Amino acid sequence: EMLGIPYAGSRVLALALTLDKSMTKRVLTYHGLPTPPFQEFVIAGDPLDPRLAAHFPLFAKPNSEGTGMGIDDRSILRDEAELRERVAYLLHAYREPVLVEKYVEGNDVTVGLVGNYPDLHLFPISMIDNSLYETTGMHVYGSELKIDLGDKYQYQCPARLPEELASELRRLAIETMRVTGTLDYARVDFRLDKNDHHQPYILEINSLPGITPISDLTLMAEADGWSHARLVYSVFEAALKRHGLQIDVPLHEYEEVRVR
């Protein structure tokens, strides 16, 4: 970026912002976008915000990790004693602040996007199938389910959701991408609050989402009839348009080159 060389994906500032979950939530809150109440802990003894204490159970995770790192069934905190113990553990294990937020009980959904506002393509919404938790005996979608037991992943795409709710999820995903300055492609993760008429809460935005052949974004693209190559090409094409560049290689030729 300092050399002025064009590249695909978000710029440094957006990537730094969205890697910092607490800072991202501050931006979302400023713009009136729904995200669970939260507090950032720098030391285990930080006073618990009374406004957050009213929302037990809470949920704790490292502030700047991905792929479910530091997240498992012990992340759900039912009282302050569990909170202090978990925060102390995460601070020691990850050497970074800990995000503690209201635990939203409900379905995990994610929305994938390619392009740049207002020229965006949204893929079918994906939702984790609750049978995943039943078959594994786990209740939290953390690193063990994402990595160690990845072959057991079960999901619905397109998610079976009322159109009004699906429309709101798409709107919130677009707004989240816009206010964080995310470019070219993204994936926005939500929880639907089963105790509040499935109100969607934004958990985070992935400004550098996985784009391997088995990543969530790829699975959503495939549900839309796209190949993995088309997904990669579309991210590339979005960056070219944003930089005012153009390429004359049709998609089918690009796929042939990729195969060769």
Side-chain angles (χ1 to χ4, degrees):
E1 182 167 302
M2 292 175 67
L3 293 173
I5 299 173
Y7 60 91
S10 297
R11 299 181 66 179
V12 173
L13 179 60
L15 292 173
L17 167 66
T18 55
L19 181 63
D20 187 324
K21 301 181 196 303
S22 295
M23 192 59 70
T24 300
K25 288 168 71 71
R26 292 184 183 101
V27 171
L28 296 176
T29 300
Y30 174 82
H31 286 281
L33 298 173
T35 189
F38 71 99
Q39 181 178 345
E40 184 179 9
F41 284 78
V42 178
I43 60 173
D46 279 342
L48 176 61
D49 188 327
R51 293 170 296 181
L52 192 62
H55 290 295
F56 276 104
L58 303 176
F59 194 89
K61 54 189 171 185
N63 189 56
S64 301
E65 299 296 328
T67 324
M69 298 292 290
I71 295 176
D72 56 38
D73 285 359
R74 294 168 296 178
S75 300
I76 302 174
L77 314 170
R78 294 170 177 79
D79 54 42
E80 188 167 348
E82 289 187 359
L83 180 148
R84 298 296 174 189
E85 181 179 354
R86 189 63 179 175
V87 168
Y89 164 75
L90 292 174
L91 287 170
H92 176 75
Y94 291 91
R95 305 295 179 181
E96 65 187 56
V98 175
L99 172 65
V100 176
E101 62 186 351
K102 175 187 175 182
Y103 175 62
V104 177
E105 185 180 5
N107 291 101
D108 291 283
V109 298
T110 186
V111 180
L113 312 88
V114 170
N116 290 292
Y117 185 83
D119 183 18
L120 286 162
H121 180 87
L122 286 88
F123 296 112
I125 297 169
S126 182
M127 180 168 66
I128 294 178
D129 194 316
N130 287 334
S131 60
L132 173 66
Y133 304 118
E134 296 168 3
T135 57
T136 61
M138 300 178 185
H139 303 93
V140 174
Y141 190 47
S143 59
E144 188 170 358
L145 278 180
K146 290 187 177 185
I147 301 172
D148 301 337
L149 301 175
D151 59 335
K152 297 184 181 295
Y153 185 57
Q154 299 176 63
Y155 65 101
Q156 298 174 14
C157 191
R160 294 188 288 273
L161 298 171
E163 180 51 38
E164 183 178 357
L165 175 56
S167 178
E168 176 66 359
L169 286 165
R170 289 189 286 265
R171 183 190 74 83
L172 291 172
I174 292 171
E175 284 300 292
T176 300
M177 187 175 184
R178 186 179 66 82
V179 302
T180 57
T182 298
L183 301 171
D184 300 337
Y185 69 130
R187 200 190 77 240
V188 184
D189 296 338
F190 297 85
R191 266 259 168 152
L192 306 180
D193 190 346
K194 65 179 292 185
N195 299 312
D196 187 18
H197 308 288
H198 302 290
Q199 162 72 36
Y201 284 93
I202 304 160
L203 300 182
E204 62 179 295
I205 178 171
N206 298 271
S207 292
L208 197 63
I211 197 172
T212 73
I214 59 171
S215 296
D216 282 312
L217 191 65
T218 307
L219 297 178
M220 287 186 276
E222 289 176 348
D224 211 12
W226 288 30
S227 65
H228 179 243
R230 181 177 178 184
L231 172 61
V232 174
Y233 184 91
S234 296
V235 174
F236 179 47
E237 188 175 48
L240 289 172
K241 290 180 179 179
R242 175 169 56 83
H243 287 293
L245 305 172
Q246 63 181 19
I247 187 171
D248 298 321
V249 180
L251 176 59
H252 68 86
E253 292 184 20
Y254 171 79
E255 290 183 309
E256 291 172 3
V257 170
R258 184 185 68 86
V259 171
R260 289 199 298 269

